[in-house]
Amino acid sequence: STDYYFDIDADKDGDGQKETPFNNFTSKRVNDNSTIHLAKGEYVLNESREFSNISFYGESPQKTVLNGNGTTLTFNGVVNFKNLTLTNFKISNAGDLNGFNVIFNNLISTPVKNNDFGGAIYAPSNKNIYLDSCTFFDNHAQYGGAIYANGGNLTIVNSLFHNVYALNYGGAIVGNSRLKAIINNTRFFNVKSIDDAGGAIYLLSSSLTAYNLTIANASSTFGPAITALRSDLNISNSSFENNTAR
């Protein structure tokens, strides 16, 4: 892939090389099969785009923000996010997604046939999602307040889900259609399904293997922490505290 560098504090607009970065961030300068390096600052995408095989690397989630400005980003192939905050756009994940040290904050769920799915990530069919040291907060959807995954593989480690909710099932995560989920060393706090099941996690015809899972202050109409229908669960060394069904 080709590397492009952006620094909005650079004195002048360069050619995208490491020593002479662009200082004007536009979606036209973000291309398929490339790695986008973002220095500290807030970078605003000005239009919806579809990308294939692309990576976005920041300095840190506290210093680098990628703001979608209400647009939709559709990813094919593989997309990688690292060391940045993502906010205010829809992620439609038609490819595989990897995130490391990423904050998913106040993203927009993906509308499908008068419903909306996945407050941060929507993976419609048999994709691979790997998340390490990520934080999801202030995300919501009708189904899957943070993540909605149909089939494929979902791996989450060392992460946090906080203040996310679904109007229907799956306050934080929905796994469907033979999804294979692995969740380790991850906390769910203040998550809820408002009018349905699975305050933190809702599984249908899927499997979950979890270790050192903490779910606290979760709520739903039933199954306040985890609802698993026709699904396999293997959960160890985990804690469930203050979870309520209405």
Side-chain angles (χ1 to χ4, degrees):
S1 67
T2 304
D3 290 86
Y4 296 98
Y5 291 82
F6 292 82
D7 185 348
I8 58 175
D9 292 327
D11 292 334
K12 61 180 181 179
D13 196 30
D15 57 5
Q17 300 301 304
K18 187 173 184 179
E19 302 303 324
T20 52
F22 295 126
N23 70 2
N24 182 23
F25 183 77
T26 69
S27 61
K28 299 297 185 186
R29 287 177 162 176
V30 180
N31 300 304
D32 292 345
N33 304 305
S34 63
T35 299
I36 308 300
H37 301 267
L38 304 173
K40 65 180 181 180
E42 182 170 0
Y43 297 82
V44 180
L45 283 165
N46 53 0
E47 63 178 348
S48 296
R49 285 286 305 276
E50 183 169 341
F51 297 109
S52 294
N53 300 319
I54 192 165
S55 300
F56 293 90
Y57 295 159
E59 286 191 9
S60 78
Q62 293 74 31
K63 294 181 179 179
T64 306
V65 176
L66 183 60
N67 187 334
N69 198 30
T71 61
T72 299
L73 298 185
T74 301
F75 296 107
N76 301 295
V78 179
V79 58
N80 300 299
F81 296 110
K82 184 177 181 180
N83 296 334
L84 76 169
T85 289
L86 304 175
T87 190
N88 197 24
F89 57 79
K90 303 180 185 76
I91 296 177
S92 184
N93 190 41
D96 296 334
L97 185 149
N98 301 303
F100 179 77
N101 197 27
V102 177
I103 295 174
F104 296 82
N105 170 236
N106 198 28
L107 293 170
I108 303 168
S109 54
T110 301
V112 181
K113 295 181 179 178
N114 298 319
N115 292 309
D116 61 87
F117 297 87
I121 297 170
Y122 173 57
S125 60
N126 296 316
K127 303 305 175 186
N128 298 306
I129 302 170
Y130 183 86
L131 303 166
D132 186 351
S133 304
C134 293
T135 299
F136 293 79
F137 75 97
D138 290 345
N139 300 300
H140 62 88
Q142 284 181 285
Y143 300 91
I147 298 170
Y148 190 104
N150 255 333
N153 298 283
L154 170 65
T155 301
I156 303 171
V157 296
N158 307 318
S159 294
L160 171 66
F161 293 79
H162 183 216
N163 286 354
V164 300
Y165 69 89
L167 297 177
N168 294 305
Y169 55 73
I173 296 171
V174 170
N176 203 350
S177 303
R178 300 188 182 91
L179 175 76
K180 295 179 180 178
I182 297 172
I183 305 177
N184 293 333
N185 302 318
T186 292
R187 293 180 295 144
F188 296 79
F189 184 72
N190 281 354
V191 296
K192 62 184 175 181
S193 160
I194 292 177
D195 288 323
D196 209 313
I201 300 169
Y202 180 95
L203 298 174
L204 177 61
S205 301
S206 297
S207 67
L208 169 64
T209 301
Y211 177 81
N212 198 19
L213 184 69
T214 299
I215 300 177
N217 291 7
S219 64
S220 66
T221 55
F222 64 95
I226 299 172
T227 295
L229 306 178
R230 299 193 300 276
S231 298
D232 297 323
L233 297 181
N234 184 355
I235 300 173
S236 59
N237 196 42
S238 296
S239 66
F240 302 84
E241 302 172 0
N242 249 0
N243 303 309
T244 57
R246 293 183 300 278

